Amino acid sequence: MAGKSGGNRGWHSETTAVHAGEYIDPATRASSPNLVMSVTFAPEAVTGFSARDEQGYEGFVYGRVGSPTVAQLQDKLVALEAAEAALCFGSGVAAAHALICGRLGRGDHLIVPDANYVGIAELARDTLPRFGIDVSYVDLSRPEEVAAAIRPETRMLWLETPANPTMKLCDIAALARLAHERGVRDVAVDSTYATPMATQPLSLGADFVVHSLTKYIGGHGDAMGGVVLGRKADLDALNLEATVHFGGVLSPFNAWLILRGAATLPIRMRAHQEAAMQVARFLEEHPAVSRVFYPGLASHPQHALAQRQMRNFSGMLTFQTREAGPTVAARMVKQLEVIHYAVSLGHHRSLIYWIGTDDIENSTFRHDPEQLRRYRDYTGDGVFRLSVGIENGEDLIADLGRVL
Ligand SMILES: *Cc1c(COP(=O)(O)O)cnc(C)c1O
């Protein structure tokens, strides 16, 4: 069951984040959300057996079709993203897979960025073509390249901004308009880096938004999840196939943890941005650092777009060092005291990881020479991807100063 259109009742985002999808439990008067682990629900009258018979039935039947704690999280996300409906999945990649495979089939064409989140990039390159979906890779910062890639059978344009790991942005409103004018049915945005506090892609003309809830929205590094948000009719159709048949649903326990994390999203994003700005300025001045990419810095090549499209610059940045990346990374593993040298991002604690260009080219992107040249414009031989947490910026600066 897709999340009900909660609306945010005109509240500000801080109030919405705390209260949307939550209510005093009518049975117990509990003020905080219940965790309902039950997989099956006893109907008050006889209903059909197939999930198809449950369309229009308001209650819960079976955990894979919908369950109460997950529905509460969906309602909160609907309100934060100002969407009509949401469907949660067991991870961000499960959400992306469900959306793409739920909407596309043999003979359809998909356009994806020439560099984006590795799990989705590899899904597009290695898996989708096996099922007859043709994929093109374009530089989203060049609308003329997107226009040239569109064909009569193009059914979906996949955007990611800011993109992992380049920190390149794309203009959602301009690309959504371009795609729809040329007959592309679906524009989907992976908005994991931005969060709804920075950007609401649906208001800019996108049809779907995807988040890894594992990152900023859950925010504490202790629960995986993913979500697709969009129009109610689209998500009801997706629910029948992509949750009921693909089955990658979110566990109620993870939904409960993410529900608690999401309540503080607006204040955490302010803290992420504040600390990231301090750290980015420090890195920009540091003699051992050759380049820094942070949308909040005037030096970001698309800073003007960032100012227009992002209400919050988030906590993600990349930087390059004059010394070889792997050498610096080895010192980080041993000597960092606050920042963890570990993958993932968007948690309350800061995380850093070295992403070598040759490694990722072999494993994931396999760019043509021109695309590789453009990728290296942003990444050189590799980047340190730093997810700035909500610690004090000066402590993070001292930690980085020790290892650079
Ligand atoms: C982490 C991430 C994903 C995948 O999410 P998981 O929850 O790890 O499956 C997708 N997109 C972006 C931008 C991410 O950072």
Side-chain angles (χ1 to χ4, degrees), residues 139-266:
D139 182 343
L140 297 175
S141 66
R142 297 169 177 246
E144 67 284 2
E145 207 171 290
V146 179
I150 293 173
R151 313 174 192 160
E153 61 277 15
T154 307
R155 300 284 266 184
M156 183 182 282
L157 171 64
W158 186 272
L159 310 179
E160 183 179 312
T161 181
N164 187 353
T166 56
M167 294 308 299
K168 265 196 200 185
L169 313 181
C170 69
D171 187 333
I172 297 171
L175 292 177
R177 202 177 325 112
L178 174 101
H180 288 143
E181 273 170 14
R182 291 173 191 238
V184 179
R185 186 188 57 189
D186 295 340
V187 175
V189 180
D190 181 342
S191 197
T192 299
Y193 266 38
T195 83
M197 296 306 109
T199 308
Q200 290 179 321
L202 300 174
S203 73
L204 299 174
D207 302 284
F208 296 99
V209 180
V210 172
H211 290 283
S212 166
L213 301 172
T214 317
K215 313 293 173 54
Y216 283 107
I217 293 179
H220 296 76
D222 51 13
M224 296 202 82
V227 67
V228 179
L229 298 120
R231 285 181 285 267
K232 182 164 174 3
D234 289 338
L235 290 196
D236 281 347
L238 199 66
N239 187 28
L240 265 188
E241 188 174 51
T243 52
V244 178
H245 298 164
F246 300 170
V249 295
L250 183 64
S251 94
F253 184 58
N254 282 7
W256 184 74
L257 287 169
I258 295 165
L259 196 58
R260 180 160 76 168
T264 55
L265 182 67

Side-chain angles (χ1 to χ4, degrees), residues 84-104:
E84 282 182 20
L87 271 179
C88 283
F89 295 88
S91 68
V93 166
H97 168 262
L99 178 60
I100 294 169
C101 293
R103 299 288 290 180
L104 306 188

